[in-house]
């Protein structure tokens, strides 16, 4: 929402010349399986040498590790716990597809076709022993494929890699939490976080918490908006800032909140993505160790920014889809060194007991074009642009070592005892390796903020050391005081989940309270419009307040203005928007709240009717609070409406329903399905967010369905069960 159709915004990125020279070309784990799959390379000697040397698995299981990396990744999906038909979908999976797909599984040599992931709560996440390509192409699986497509499109399910579902579960989210998803696109984890806060909230009420889902890349933020739109939530803000530059928002005005801090932060950083080899086999051909080295500093500064935005007592999850210790344990170790006793690494070994995981590494080496290095003192000075002290287990520089500076050659010490071992509790990190549970690779670290960060960390400006050979080459970021000048040092642009692209562009500063390319977020103050909506739909301000909760993306909000869409925001989102406006719109808002009302054309709006209709996504939220424009239909008339799309009042099976429809004011109305105890549907029933209902347009002589064909088909299928 909020982007003009003609003037498309775009992601603006810039970086310094030095980092551009050393930054590797990112790996993009987004290559689909296609007809040329048999001709692809499924090995890389550099990859094998690197991970054998890093000893991420024992020597005796290396063959199993490599073998499974060369197999396509099985498809996985999650059922939306807040979906209207959650129980029905789980029943179909358990009682229909588990049995009907079994023959195909046996033929493929698998024990089970689909099964719940044993570690995911309430059996809401499922694992298929078929790859996404097999589900798409196999005729026997066609019905299952169509089922997945339809339920995903209407928001009842989300296709998501199994290991990607783990980080939100370790966050320990509560319904009143403010949550920041720093690098959120494509949005599956954001969707999961929203599910959790809504599921935990009191039935029939909106959560007090909210999610800020951020991604710097314009195209990916659009994907994020599309993905999260299916949640029908009022508790979401999608932002378009850089993770490492996410702004401080504070104000001295008398507002509900005077500073934006978060109870939970998900820091799923851009990475080389070699944990996704099974779904992106093209990475085999392009993999090299330099990709992880080049992203290490960016990952550190994004994580440090996340911790600075975290409340004391809050929890942050750092995660990557990389198996590389330079992007994983080395980053966590550097975070802990910088933060001292203010941040601790949480032991989550007792959480999700059925998830097979391995402890984090305590020792590793660093590889560069000059060879292998066991410690920073072994790195030649000419190589220190790309090999940093923070990449090593101890994080020590020459000054911390008893020996002298680095040698001028590329050789490493031959004494095996010289290998460093980290003295931090990195065994508390979580490593998920593919052959343990037939998944992708993943890394997770859970961090608890015990106290405020040290002053030098809170105010630190990460810059390239021009006079220090030790710091030369590090990716850096200035904190808030210096980050609003429109020219920022380092920017990342995520391409697919787990990757990053570094380019050089300039970010425009905020202009007149607005970001270039985005319409402003404006609170709707027009009492005539608001009162007209309340009167027409019978909305009581005490039960569902509209004043102060409606926003638009158009600066002209007058009655004669051009407001076409009105969005509803929860109390928590409202408070954050007010703070952002008071602090100069530092946060670049790409999308906010839930599209609740849409303007009708003048031809459709008769005298006395409301000029705004309720949207399909907004209906489940506002329906329990409506007292007017409601019709109650029995199953036969409800199904006929879905099937024929438009029916004259005189043609309904139950004449009483047709008579009631004729009496409703012209314009938008809602038809509610009542149970079989009501013979004609003429009596009102208590509705809730789980009530089956559709929006219709009441004309002079007929009712016309205002629901998409996909939604109609989905409802018809569900009602046929």
């Amino acid at each position: 929402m909020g982007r003009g159709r003609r003037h498309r915004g775009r992601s603006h990125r810039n970086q310094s010349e030095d980092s551009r020279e050393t930054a590797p070309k990112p790996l993009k784990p987004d290559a689909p399986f296609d007809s040329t799959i048999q001709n692809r390379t499924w090995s890389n000697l550099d990859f094998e040498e690197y991970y054998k040397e890093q000893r991420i698995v024992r020597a005796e299981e290396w063959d199993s590790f490599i073998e499974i990396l060369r197999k396509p990744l099985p498809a996985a999906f999650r059922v939306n716990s807040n979906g209207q038909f959650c129980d029905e979908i789980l029943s179909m999976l358990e009682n229909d597809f588990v049995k009907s797909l079994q023959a195909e599984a046996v033929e493929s040599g698998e024990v089970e076709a689909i099964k719940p992931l044993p570690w995911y709560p309430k059996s809401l996440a499922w694992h298929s022993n078929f790859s996404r390509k097999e589900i798409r192409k196999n005729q026997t699986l066609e019905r299952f494929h169509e089922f997945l497509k339809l339920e995903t499109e209407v928001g009842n399910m989300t296709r998501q890699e199994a290991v990607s579902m783990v980080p939100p579960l370790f966050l320990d989210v509560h319904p009143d939490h403010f949550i920041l998803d720093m690098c959120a696109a494509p949005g599956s984890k954001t969707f999961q976080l929203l599910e959790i806060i809504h599921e935990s909230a009191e039935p029939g009420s909106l959560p007090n918490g909210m999610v800020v889902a951020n991604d710097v890349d314009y195209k990916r933020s659009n994907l994020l908006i599309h993905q999260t739109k299916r949640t029908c939530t009022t508790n979401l803000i999608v932002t378009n800032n850089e993770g490492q530059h996410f702004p401080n928002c504070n104000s001295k005005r008398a507002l509900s909140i005077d500073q934006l801090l978060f109870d939970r932060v998900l820091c799923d950083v851009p990475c080389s993505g070699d944990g996704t080899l099974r779904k992106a086999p093209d990475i085999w051909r392009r993999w090299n160790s330099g990709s992880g080295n080049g992203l290490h500093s960016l990952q550190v500064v994004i994580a440090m920014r996340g911790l600075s935005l975290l409340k004391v007592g809050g929890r942050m999850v750092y995660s990557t889809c990389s198996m590389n210790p330079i992007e994983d344990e080395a980053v966590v170790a550097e975070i802990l060194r910088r933060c001292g006793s203010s941040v601790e690494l949480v032991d989550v070994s007792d959480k999700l007991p059925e998830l097979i995981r391995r402890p984090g590494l305590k020792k590793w080496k660093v590889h560069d074009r000059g060879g292998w290095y066991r410690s920073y003192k072994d790195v030649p000075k000419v190589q220190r642009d790309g090999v940093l002290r923070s990449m090593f287990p101890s994080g020590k520089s020459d000054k911390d070592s008893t020996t002298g500076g680095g040698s001028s050659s590329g050789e490493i010490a031959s004494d095996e005892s010289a290998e460093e071992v980290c003295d931090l509790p990195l065994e508390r990190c979580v490593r998920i390796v593919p052959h343990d549970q037939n998944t992708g690779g993943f890394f997770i670290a859970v961090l608890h903020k015990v106290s405020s960060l040290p002053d030098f960390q809170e105010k630190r400006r990460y810059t390239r050391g021009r006079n220090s050979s030790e710091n030369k080459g590090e990716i850096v970021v200035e904190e808030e005081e210096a980050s609003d000048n429109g020219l920022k040092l380092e920017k990342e642009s995520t391409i697919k989940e787990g990757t990053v692209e570094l380019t050089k562009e300039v970010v425009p500063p905020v202009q007149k309270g607005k970001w270039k390319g985005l319409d402003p977020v404006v609170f709707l103050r027009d009492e005539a419009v608001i009162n007209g909506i309340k009167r027409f739909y019978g909305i009581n301000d005490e039960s569902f307040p509209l004043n102060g909760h409606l926003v638009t993306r158009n600066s002209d909000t007058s009655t004669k203005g051009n407001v076409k869409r009105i969005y509803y925001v929860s109390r928590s989102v409202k408070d954050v928007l007010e703070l952002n406006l008071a602090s100069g719109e530092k946060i670049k808002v790409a999308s906010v709240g839930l599209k609740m009302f849409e303007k009708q054309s003048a031809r459709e709006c008769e005298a006395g009717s409301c000029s705004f209709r309720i949207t399909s996504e907004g209906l489940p939220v506002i329906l329990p609070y409506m007292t007017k424009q409601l019709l109650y239909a029995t199953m036969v008339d409800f199904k006929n409406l879905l099937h024929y799309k438009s029916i004259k009042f005189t043609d309904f099976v139950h004449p009483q329903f047709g008579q009631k429809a004729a009496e409703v004011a012209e314009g938008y109305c809602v038809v509610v399905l009542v149970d079989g105890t009501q013979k004609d549907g003429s009596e009102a029933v208590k509705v809730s967010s789980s009530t089956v209902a559709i929006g219709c347009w009441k004309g002079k002589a007929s009712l016309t369905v205002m629901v998409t064909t996909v939604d109609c088909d989905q409802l018809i299928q569900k009602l046929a069960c």
Side-chain angles (χ1 to χ4, degrees), residues 595-611:
K595 185 169 70 172
M596 185 69 72
F597 304 106
E598 198 153 33
K599 195 168 188 178
Q600 297 295 325
S601 66
R603 182 180 59 82
E604 292 171 320
C605 298
E606 300 293 335
S609 69
C610 180
S611 58

Side-chain angles (χ1 to χ4, degrees), residues 408-429:
S408 59
S409 69
E411 298 178 358
I412 62 172
S414 59
D415 183 5
E416 189 65 29
S417 64
E419 186 173 4
E420 293 184 355
V421 178
C422 187
D423 59 359
L424 297 166
L426 296 181
E427 68 277 1
R428 297 178 184 174
C429 298

Side-chain angles (χ1 to χ4, degrees), residues 240-265:
N240 212 175
N241 294 84
E242 296 172 295
Q244 74 271 36
H245 289 289
F246 197 89
N248 285 329
C249 274
N250 48 63
S251 175
K252 295 181 180 179
R253 298 183 189 178
L255 300 173
S256 299
I257 55 175
D258 56 13
Q259 185 178 12
L260 181 57
L261 293 174
F262 297 91
D263 302 279
R264 298 289 186 266
V265 174

Side-chain angles (χ1 to χ4, degrees), residues 625-653:
Y625 309 100
M626 292 176 61
T627 59
K628 294 181 180 179
Q629 296 300 104
L630 294 172
L631 295 169
Y632 303 92
T634 58
M635 182 66 78
V636 62
D637 282 326
F638 196 87
K639 283 186 175 180
N640 282 343
L641 264 175
L642 291 174
H643 182 72
Y644 295 107
K645 304 297 189 294
S646 182
I647 300 179
K648 292 181 179 180
F649 303 144
T650 54
D651 292 341
F652 283 104
V653 173

Side-chain angles (χ1 to χ4, degrees), residues 20 82 113 124 144 190 317 319 356 394-395 405-406 477 552 579 608 668 679 684 692 697 711:
R20 184 162 58 91
N82 303 306
L124 289 169
F144 182 54
T190 303
V317 166
S319 62
I356 300 176
S394 72
V477 54
T552 75
L579 177 62
Y668 182 87
K679 295 182 179 180
V692 178
W697 188 263
D711 286 335

Side-chain angles (χ1 to χ4, degrees), residues 425-492:
L426 296 181
E427 68 277 1
R428 297 178 184 174
C429 298
V430 174
R431 274 189 166 266
I432 301 175
V433 294
H435 61 291
D436 279 344
Q437 282 184 305
N438 195 14
T439 63
F442 219 77
F443 175 86
I444 302 162
V446 182
L447 299 155
H448 176 229
K449 190 172 181 178
V450 179
S451 60
S452 297
L453 300 184
D455 287 343
F456 74 93
Q457 288 296 348
E458 293 281 12
K459 299 176 182 178
R460 182 170 182 166
R461 293 177 63 178
Y462 300 96
T463 59
R464 285 182 177 275
R466 298 186 181 277
N467 300 319
S468 168
S469 61
E470 180 182 325
N471 292 329
K472 189 176 181 182
E474 288 198 49
I475 293 181
V476 295
V477 54
E478 295 179 338
E479 289 297 341
E480 186 58 37
E481 290 78 12
S483 67
D484 285 332
N485 59 6
L487 295 174
K488 305 181 183 180
L489 292 179
E490 290 297 331
K491 310 269 180 174
E492 90 276 12

Side-chain angles (χ1 to χ4, degrees), residues 388-416:
L388 314 176
R389 63 172 180 78
S390 58
M391 295 177 180
F392 292 89
S394 72
K396 292 181 179 178
S397 65
D398 290 345
K399 296 177 182 178
D400 302 317
S401 304
T402 57
T403 59
S407 65
S408 59
S409 69
E411 298 178 358
I412 62 172
S414 59
D415 183 5
E416 189 65 29

